[in-house]
Amino acid sequence: MTAVPGGAGCAAVICGVGAALPPHVVSNADLTARLDTTDAWIRSRTGIIRRHVAGADLSTTDLAVRAAAQALADGEPDPVDALVVATTTPDRCCPATAPVVAARLGLTGIPAHDLAAGCTGFLYALATAAGFIAAGTARTALVVGADRLAALPAPEDRTTVPLFGDGAGAVLLRRGSPDEYGALGPVVLGSDGTGAELIRASRPGALRMEGADVFRHAVDRMSTASREAATAAGWELGDVDRLAPHQANSRITSFVARRLGVPDDHRLDNVGEVGNTGAASIPLLLTHSTADGRLKPGHRTLLTAFGAGLAWGAVALTWPDLSPTRPPGYTSSGGSRT
Ligand code: UT7
């Protein structure tokens, strides 16, 4: 590909969003039939009511392709110059997911790679793609978060099975200027591998998580990263119209909002419908909230995430006007448009 000018005056600007969820829904009632748990326990501890779970016929790559295709349809019709897929659950260790996704979208020849940073993967991917744009490597970039986390817990583990779902979300970035709606502020990122054992899985069906410790770290790290991202963008926390946190669970995100002094009705939440979808969580939330009108053009929005690694991050942006090409309703039918 041809390098394009990046440089100091340029920013990565969100110009499209997309989402894909498997059609199969597993409700809390479905789980109570096979686990020693209750709908009341799951709702009160997590806010989760149902989650979407992929069958054997729907891979991480499939979900990523559907979300990316929707973001492309939503965005401006420029050629795509780069693609980054964040995932902890690639279909295979080799090759990476992203070149296959790119090929299925007709984007052969562009730089395409995967990265793994647990539930913070989407923010790491956003920073990577924004770096491609700043460096002049790309003028436009697709950023996809795709995970099939429902397969990670041991099927009989009531402490983790209810938490996770499958899905993918995507945003399209283009080169623009820092003062326009949709321009990403500096992305704050961090990690601490001394906490690596707190969430770990050597293979599907073998997830282990120290729930209470993870909860505490999640609240601390997302709150701190959010403050840093707001400061880096020149905002006061009182300026924040929408908090778009990784959808680990509603109790965690409520604590983060409270710690930041962000009113709870400014906190976006779709975990009840999708569970914790890992790297897909934030772009799914953004797509869902744009479609249902909770996230509007001009909203000063803080994205923040935390997860395995440990890894965390945050970024501030003013939400762009995507409405002319938005579908009227959010669909759970695998990214098809209504
Ligand atoms: O991206 C980050 C991913 N990780 C997370 O989001 C998880 C963060 N952690 C949490 O959200 C919470 O720790 C959980 C929701 C996982 C658990 O909530 P908790 O309030 O920390 O519960 P706990 O683990 O302290 O367990 C309390 C009790 C225990 O029983 P005993 O020992 O008090 O008799 C558990 O055995 O709840 C029991 N329990 C359940 N009971 C019914 C655990 N899971 C269940 C369940 N149904 N599904």
Side-chain angles (χ1 to χ4, degrees):
M1 63 166 294
T2 313
V4 293
C10 102
V13 176
I14 292 182
C15 60
V17 295
L21 290 167
H24 180 57
V25 173
V26 175
S27 69
N28 289 351
D30 295 329
L31 294 183
T32 61
R34 64 181 176 88
L35 290 171
D36 179 16
T37 189
T38 62
D39 175 52
W41 193 97
I42 299 170
R43 280 191 200 221
S44 65
R45 301 292 174 121
T46 71
I48 298 168
I49 302 166
R50 57 187 68 86
R51 68 289 289 148
H52 294 247
V53 177
D57 58 341
L58 199 57
S59 65
T60 297
T61 305
D62 295 331
L63 290 165
V65 167
R66 292 178 192 198
Q70 193 182 29
L72 276 177
D74 195 37
E76 290 154 30
D78 290 335
V80 175
D81 293 334
L83 189 149
V84 185
V85 174
T87 184
T88 304
T89 52
D91 300 319
R92 298 180 281 183
C93 355
C94 179
T97 314
V100 182
V101 173
R104 283 178 52 183
L105 293 167
L107 300 171
T108 50
I110 66 167
H113 74 101
D114 290 7
L115 66 79
C119 296
T120 313
F122 177 74
L123 294 185
Y124 271 79
L126 215 49
T128 302
F132 282 168
I133 288 172
T137 302
R139 197 186 312 260
T140 57
L142 264 171
V143 181
V144 185
D147 265 320
R148 294 186 54 195
L149 295 188
L152 288 191
E156 69 285 359
D157 183 1
R158 70 174 182 169
T159 68
T160 53
V161 167
L163 305 179
F164 298 103
D166 301 335
V171 304
L172 182 61
L173 297 177
R174 64 166 171 77
R175 190 179 50 160
S177 61
D179 55 354
E180 61 181 304
Y181 282 7
L184 299 177
V187 187
V188 170
L189 297 171
S191 77
D192 179 3
T194 65
E197 300 306 309
L198 297 182
I199 314 173
R200 60 195 192 279
S202 51
R203 55 180 166 74
L207 179 73
R208 292 287 176 269
M209 183 172 67
E210 312 306 325
D213 285 342
V214 170
F215 192 109
R216 185 170 48 81
H217 283 291
V219 173
D220 285 348
R221 294 301 189 181
M222 285 198 278
S223 305
T224 305
S226 295
R227 282 182 200 283
E228 289 173 5
T231 302
W235 296 3
E236 302 289 336
L237 284 169
D239 294 336
V240 174
D241 297 310
R242 291 293 179 267
L243 180 66
H246 163 55
Q247 298 293 289
N249 75 55
S250 298
R251 276 168 69 222
I252 290 177
T253 60
S254 287
F255 268 88
V256 172
R258 201 174 312 161
R259 231 188 246 181
L260 294 173
V262 172
D264 205 52
D265 63 355
H266 290 193
R267 175 181 60 93
L268 300 175
D269 190 329
N270 69 345
V271 77
E273 300 300 314
V274 298
N276 180 344
T277 56
S281 167
I282 288 179
L284 268 175
L285 179 69
L286 297 175
T287 308
H288 194 170
S289 302
T290 303
D292 69 17
R294 291 220 55 220
L295 184 56
K296 293 192 188 331
H299 273 153
R300 286 156 300 183
T301 305
L302 259 184
L303 318 184
T304 186
F306 171 86
L310 304 172
W312 57 86
V315 64
L317 77 155
T318 301
W319 194 247
D321 187 359
L322 305 174
S323 50
T325 53
R326 287 299 316 150
Y330 183 72
T331 170
S332 62
S333 58
S336 63
R337 306 183 68 173
T338 54

